[in-house]
Amino acid sequence: MARSKRKKPAPEAVAVIGLGRFGTAVAQALLQSGHDVLAIDSDEKLVQLVADEMPHVIQADTTDPDALRQIGLVDFQRVVVGIGSDVEASVLTVMGLTDLGIPQIWAKAVHRTHGRILERVGAHHVVYPEERMGRQVARLVTGKMIDAIEFDEDFSIVKTRAPQALVGSLLGIIDTMKDYGVAIIGVKPKDGPFRHVTQDIVIQADDLLVVAGCNESCEAFAALD
């Protein structure tokens, strides 16, 4: 087991276990946003691939509770488990982190049964990246949405073009929540930046709108002519 030399982590530091596509993307995003990151994988080749871009990277078998202690994970407040293809390794790793008393354990699941097991053994947050991305792509392909972020199973923020029915409307007068079940939270004119919603904005034909609401309402709003 290789170990990087590092001091006790800062409270905002995050450990990321599993350096496949998901785990590596999470670690890179955290680093780019200024967080201290400890990246871990049992595969020496994956560790070597990211060694040049990540200051703290370790090869370790995280299914071994002793290894978790040796690499200092007991000092972390937040750990992301990105192991997906090896369900047993994923579950054993979360169990070990739970035994260490990690306050926030985020874990990737490849299917719902996997997710339920992770929750039962101590994961505080379970994410389904492939499932969520699949739903998002399906919504974009079959509708008129330009982009969508799903925050829960039935709540989204969607970017779409202003429907013809609202062109010329003053935001201070219309009630999109009452009429369509969505709230307009941002407006982008054709040649300008996004603006926070104010009552004096008049919707133009080429505007992009950012709306929030339940998935069904967002999809119906984006489908308006």
Side-chain angles (χ1 to χ4, degrees), residues 76-215:
F76 281 78
Q77 299 296 304
R78 293 172 291 181
V79 179
V80 178
V81 180
I83 303 171
S85 58
D86 189 336
V87 173
E88 181 180 0
S90 166
V91 172
L92 290 175
T93 296
V94 170
M95 288 178 62
L97 295 171
T98 301
D99 290 342
L100 290 182
I102 305 299
Q104 291 191 48
I105 303 171
W106 294 74
K108 169 188 174 180
V110 294
H111 47 70
R112 291 289 167 174
T113 301
H114 182 197
R116 286 194 291 270
I117 295 172
L118 291 173
E119 290 174 344
R120 289 177 182 177
V121 299
H124 304 101
H125 309 277
V126 176
V127 295
Y128 301 84
E130 287 88 356
E131 178 181 311
R132 175 168 292 188
M133 181 57 68
R135 288 200 304 268
Q136 181 171 334
V137 170
R139 294 169 68 192
L140 295 176
V141 167
T142 60
K144 296 182 180 179
M145 299 180 201
I146 297 171
D147 200 358
I149 301 174
E150 185 176 310
F151 285 91
D152 204 342
E153 290 187 357
D154 196 29
F155 187 85
S156 295
I157 292 180
V158 166
K159 180 168 68 174
T160 185
R161 299 195 182 280
Q164 185 60 39
L166 294 185
V167 172
S169 298
L170 184 67
L171 286 183
I173 296 178
I174 61 175
D175 188 346
T176 55
M177 181 58 72
K178 177 182 178 181
D179 295 337
Y180 304 104
V182 300
I184 298 177
I185 59 176
V187 179
K188 183 184 185 303
K190 181 179 180 181
D191 299 318
F194 271 103
R195 298 175 56 188
H196 293 294
V197 170
T198 57
Q199 292 189 345
D200 62 338
I201 292 178
V202 176
I203 297 176
Q204 305 298 324
D206 294 324
D207 285 352
L208 295 180
L209 305 181
V210 177
V211 302
C214 70
N215 294 343

Side-chain angles (χ1 to χ4, degrees), residues 17 40-42 60-65 67-68 71 73 83 89 92-93 96:
I17 299 173
I40 307 161
D41 200 283
S42 61
D61 177 8
T62 56
T63 65
D64 181 353
L68 297 178
I71 61 181
L73 286 186
I83 303 171
L92 290 175
T93 296

